[in-house]
Amino acid sequence: MFTGIIEGLGTIHSIRSSGQGSRLVITADYLLENTRIGDSIAVNGACLTAVAVSGKRFEVDVSRETLRLTTLGTAKTGERVNLERALRLSDRIDGHLVAGHVDGTGQIRDRQAAGNSTVVAIGVPKSLSRYLIQKGSVAVDGISLTVNDCDDAGFTVSIVPHTGRVTTIGFKQIGAPVNIETDMIGKYVEKFMTGSKIETTGKGKAGSGVDMDLLAKTGFL
């Protein structure tokens, strides 16, 4: 679990095939203190497991599914990436809860100066835009951002100077692909409200979801 507050940037040092996936070697801009093999590190918002760590450099294996769903599938040597190590229970959550399970990709469609900030418009498929709400949270390349406006075709976010300086969104240009993770709460609510079968713990029975009749019967309406 992550917060979407990027710790720093890194550079992809090398990429090589590993089975049906890839092995990435990444050099961080900062010392990875207390990071060990097996720890989770979000790379552009995708949760990956460190399989080797030495100073500022670490290695991760990327599965075929992650390569398919994220921009890591088209990543190049020398590319700059956002990095965040996993949340500790004692940490403050300054962003929002980010699982590191990227839902898909979007594309930067516009960048416009707005006072001291930059408004970035990002296009996404309807399968992702359905989970976006105005003033809700979204992770873009692992960065926790607030949705300004949204419609079926995409959304806009405001990038303050600090975020622009310390993350990749400060220099990504129109047309660049970005990883998108929508707020997990919306996906759970949709599953409950649409009546999807939910397995209960222990006995394997299925529930029928939440509908208006159930809310009325239980006194919520």
Side-chain angles (χ1 to χ4, degrees):
M1 190 69 70
F2 306 89
T3 68
I5 303 300
I6 302 303
E7 287 189 274
L9 297 179
T11 303
I12 297 177
H13 178 76
S14 66
I15 304 172
R16 67 177 185 270
S17 296
S18 177
Q20 293 186 328
S22 294
R23 170 72 63 93
L24 270 60
V25 179
I26 298 172
T27 303
D29 290 355
Y30 56 97
L31 189 63
L32 298 169
E33 294 181 299
N34 301 316
T35 300
R36 298 171 295 182
I37 292 173
D39 285 355
S40 294
I41 302 176
V43 178
N44 274 356
C47 178
L48 302 173
T49 300
V51 296
V53 182
S54 179
K56 295 182 178 181
R57 184 168 292 184
F58 66 98
E59 299 182 24
V60 290
D61 287 325
V62 187
S63 70
R64 182 174 63 176
E65 176 73 358
T66 300
L67 292 174
R68 182 181 70 84
L69 281 177
T70 75
T71 60
L72 294 177
T74 56
K76 302 288 191 298
T77 300
E79 186 172 324
R80 298 285 277 165
V81 291
N82 296 319
L83 301 176
E84 182 190 356
R85 288 173 291 179
L87 170 71
R88 294 172 296 190
L89 291 179
S90 60
D91 289 343
R92 296 170 61 181
I93 302 177
D94 292 321
H96 72 283
L97 291 177
V98 177
H101 303 156
V102 174
D103 294 306
T105 60
Q107 186 179 61
I108 295 178
R109 291 186 171 172
D110 193 28
R111 298 179 65 98
Q112 295 288 337
N116 69 339
S117 301
T118 301
V119 175
V120 177
I122 299 173
V124 295
K126 194 171 182 178
S127 60
L128 299 184
S129 64
R130 64 190 296 177
Y131 300 113
L132 298 171
I133 60 171
Q134 189 177 30
K135 306 310 176 188
S137 296
V138 64
V140 178
D141 275 347
I143 310 162
S144 175
L145 297 170
T146 300
V147 176
N148 288 347
D149 293 295
C150 56
D151 57 27
D152 286 347
F155 62 97
T156 62
V157 290
S158 292
I159 307 302
V160 297
H162 174 75
T163 302
R165 284 194 302 269
V166 301
T167 72
T168 59
I169 203 164
F171 55 78
K172 285 201 170 181
Q173 298 301 309
I174 294 172
V178 289
N179 290 326
I180 303 293
E181 181 186 331
T182 59
D183 192 352
M184 67 179 75
I185 295 175
K187 289 175 279 190
Y188 280 116
V189 170
E190 180 188 56
K191 185 168 185 178
F192 294 143
M193 294 300 293
T194 55
S196 299
K197 299 296 184 182
I198 308 297
E199 293 296 326
T200 59
T201 303
K203 297 184 179 180
K205 295 182 180 179
S208 60
V210 178
D211 56 22
M212 299 304 288
D213 287 340
L214 178 61
L215 292 175
K217 288 177 182 178
T218 52
F220 287 95
L221 296 178

